[in-house]
Amino acid sequence: MERFEFTIGEDVIPFLLGRQCFGEIVDEIIKIGQTQRFDRIFIGCDETVNKLHVPAFAAALKAKGVDFHVCVTKSGEPNKSMASLDYIISDLLKHDCTRNSIVVPFGGGIVGNMFGLASALLFRGIRFIHVPTTFLSAHDSVTSKKQAINHTNLKNIVGTYYVPTAIMVNVSVFETLTQDNIRSGSGELTKNAVMFGGEHLSVLEPILRRHRGNLQYTEEELLQLMRMGIKAKGSLLKDDPKERTTAIIFEYGHTVGHAVELTYGVSHGCAVALGMLAASFMSEKMGLMTPEDREAHDELVKLLDVWLPLPPSQTLQDAVFRRVAGDNKRGYLPLKKGYYPLILAKRIGELHHPNKYYLEYVPEDIVRAAIAYLTTSRYRSHGLVPSAETAAAVPTPAPSAVDSGSRRRAARPVFLSHFASAQMLSSWVASVLFTPPTAQA
């Protein structure tokens, strides 16, 4: 396994990266546990990972004589909730978790956030070790102190900052991911390539071109991309551990991206990629980016082949705008009526830098025009024929709504089959039409 030291502020976190390495991961967990007496390992996962990967991980633990308990939660964003957090804490305590126990979030970003937060709260903080199973979480969400859940229709609104004891990645588990999950992880890496240029661009772009339309990365390519993702996050978090000044640039593409993610149900990294296309539209309209630089920017993003699943409508555009207006970057700059703060780029490798927060006031008419452009230009029919009322109001859930999908396959769009009941369908309609502006963290 490769070993890195990942620095977040004053905290130095061991980061181990390898393939076919559950046995080595268990050895490392035991070593960490022995530095301060540990009594039990608590594996946290969702239903999907419990079926796909827990048996192999559990076998490795049993082979080393490690006592462990598996806490399984339901899959998906709706379960990133106070109820799930209460269940996790209750289950861990019921199975004799102590201040000497170690929690191992074993899954994607949702699992990592929930069990990371539980670790921060139990006994005022116990050790936890990330073992991510999705491409996106492995280079993005686990490389952070932020641990949070959703509450009252607000995303990541209840949480804290808490440092993982270690991060250990076995890229071989990515073989089970859907195309959409790999594309989602690639979206955040594409954002890094736009932000930093240089080697982040030169490593990523050839891989995207080589696999365009079929993101079947080799394990060596996954390791390459993982290294670049880790390097990008580490370059700024060492000086800005709470991501409130220089590291806020990792939010590039996220303002419109978060709004698209919540409105359409598009996976996170894919939504960020779409948000980048909206950002470049705004940059050109405001004279910050030349048409030539925008073309180069957009060509890179479009290698991801990301599309919106529903035809444009004023209802959906308004829903996206409402969420942009409630984005969490409000408050960094003084409120200015009719303007919204966004991070914009000038060209690949150079962000617009009007202040220490990299935030520029964008007039409402340009924001709305960017949303209209995005929802019109990036719609592609998948042969679905929903009713006019449904198409106008209901987002299509992303194929990767769970932390880790079944065997890697081309993502297939889903529509009404996702909704198990009329009540679920009504809930989605309400979330688009009536949910107040959503905070993100």
Side-chain angles (χ1 to χ4, degrees):
M1 295 179 74
E2 298 178 53
R3 298 169 184 270
F4 307 89
E5 285 190 343
F6 189 82
T7 304
I8 303 180
E10 297 179 353
D11 298 296
V12 179
I13 304 164
F15 196 118
L16 284 73
L17 177 62
R19 48 187 151 189
Q20 302 295 342
C21 56
F22 278 147
E24 293 173 84
I25 285 175
V26 171
D27 289 339
E28 294 296 329
I29 291 174
I30 292 171
K31 287 179 186 176
I32 289 171
Q34 289 173 342
T35 61
Q36 173 189 329
R37 183 174 60 87
F38 82 101
D39 48 23
R40 201 172 202 198
I41 301 294
F42 287 85
I43 300 173
C45 65
D46 69 10
E47 298 161 319
T48 307
V49 171
N50 187 45
K51 294 176 183 176
L52 290 175
H53 301 303
V54 166
F57 192 31
L61 288 165
K62 289 176 182 176
K64 301 290 183 177
V66 177
D67 186 27
F68 67 92
H69 168 71
V70 181
C71 176
V72 183
T73 64
K74 292 182 179 179
S75 303
E77 187 76 25
N79 296 298
K80 189 179 177 182
S81 64
M82 191 68 78
S84 293
L85 179 66
D86 180 68
Y87 167 76
I88 290 167
I89 291 173
S90 298
D91 187 68
L92 267 56
L93 292 174
K94 177 182 176 181
H95 290 91
D96 302 321
C97 179
T98 74
R99 64 181 67 253
N100 293 317
S101 300
I102 297 176
V103 175
V104 178
F106 187 48
I110 295 170
V111 163
N113 263 239
M114 291 197 299
F115 283 89
L117 182 56
S119 302
L121 296 173
L122 279 165
F123 305 100
R124 299 187 184 91
I126 61 175
R127 291 171 292 177
F128 82 102
I129 297 172
H130 278 302
V131 182
T133 62
T134 66
F135 184 39
L136 176 59
S137 65
H139 69 75
D140 188 65
S141 65
V142 301
T143 53
S144 174
K145 295 173 66 172
K146 296 187 288 188
Q147 319 298 336
I149 57 169
N150 307 333
H151 195 272
T152 56
N153 294 322
L154 300 174
K155 186 173 171 67
N156 293 339
I157 200 68
V158 176
T160 189
Y161 293 96
Y162 193 59
V163 181
T165 306
I167 303 166
M168 304 182 190
V169 181
N170 177 4
V171 299
S172 299
V173 302
F174 298 163
E175 293 177 0
T176 64
L177 298 176
T178 63
Q179 286 277 298
D180 188 69
N181 195 289
I182 296 294
R183 185 175 290 109
S184 184
S186 302
E188 287 282 6
L189 292 170
T190 303
K191 175 206 68 182
N192 293 344
V194 169
M195 287 164 43
F196 297 110
E199 62 181 335
H200 296 277
L201 178 64
S202 64
V203 170
L204 176 69
E205 186 175 12
I207 294 175
L208 289 181
R209 290 190 182 280
R210 191 153 56 241
H211 295 282
R212 186 171 188 179
N214 184 24
L215 298 182
Q216 297 277 1
Y217 299 153
T218 66
E219 285 193 348
E220 185 51 46
E221 288 170 333
L222 288 167
L223 288 168
Q224 269 188 293
L225 295 173
M226 283 290 305
R227 293 181 197 111
M228 297 313 302
I230 296 162
K231 188 171 185 178
K233 292 293 288 286
S235 67
L236 297 182
L237 292 187
K238 63 184 179 184
D239 298 317
D240 183 15
K242 293 190 175 181
E243 303 175 51
R244 288 177 172 171
T245 53
T246 55
I248 197 177
I249 66 172
F250 288 118
E251 291 288 295
Y252 179 62
H254 281 61
T255 300
V256 174
H258 277 151
V260 167
E261 179 182 4
L262 290 168
T263 303
Y264 284 85
V266 176
S267 62
H268 176 74
C270 294
V272 168
L274 293 166
M276 291 165 63
L277 295 176
S280 71
F281 177 98
M282 294 182 232
S283 288
E284 184 183 356
K285 288 294 183 184
M286 296 182 69
L288 302 173
M289 180 181 278
T290 67
E292 295 77 18
D293 287 328
R294 181 184 172 201
E295 183 178 1
H297 171 284
D298 289 5
E299 181 186 0
L300 176 66
V301 176
K302 289 175 183 178
L303 289 175
L304 294 168
D305 206 25
V306 175
W307 299 89
L308 288 169
L310 289 176
S313 73
Q314 192 62 52
T315 301
L316 288 170
Q317 290 171 10
D318 288 346
V320 172
F321 176 76
R322 280 201 313 276
R323 288 180 161 121
V324 167
D327 184 76
N328 72 332
K329 285 174 284 299
R330 295 178 69 196
Y332 284 100
L333 300 180
L335 291 179
K336 189 175 180 181
K337 188 175 181 180
Y339 290 81
Y340 300 90
L342 285 97
I343 298 168
L344 302 175
K346 299 177 76 172
R347 60 184 61 85
I348 291 176
E350 183 181 359
L351 294 182
H352 178 51
H353 193 181
N355 49 58
K356 69 177 182 179
Y357 301 115
Y358 287 81
L359 290 169
E360 179 60 80
Y361 289 111
V362 181
E364 179 174 330
D365 62 330
I366 293 180
V367 175
R368 286 187 177 275
I371 293 170
Y373 157 77
L374 181 69
T375 57
T376 301
S377 67
R378 298 311 290 175
Y379 163 66
R380 182 173 68 184
S381 173
H382 295 286
L384 298 171
V385 189
S387 68
E389 294 81 7
T390 302
V394 183
T396 300
S400 63
V402 298
D403 268 352
S404 190
S406 56
R407 291 285 169 189
R408 192 189 298 180
R409 59 192 182 275
R412 296 180 61 190
V414 292
F415 200 67
L416 291 182
S417 59
H418 173 81
F419 300 102
S421 66
Q423 184 178 4
M424 288 180 67
L425 177 58
S426 299
S427 176
W428 271 105
V429 173
S431 73
V432 173
L433 298 179
F434 308 116
T435 299
T438 301
Q440 303 278 342

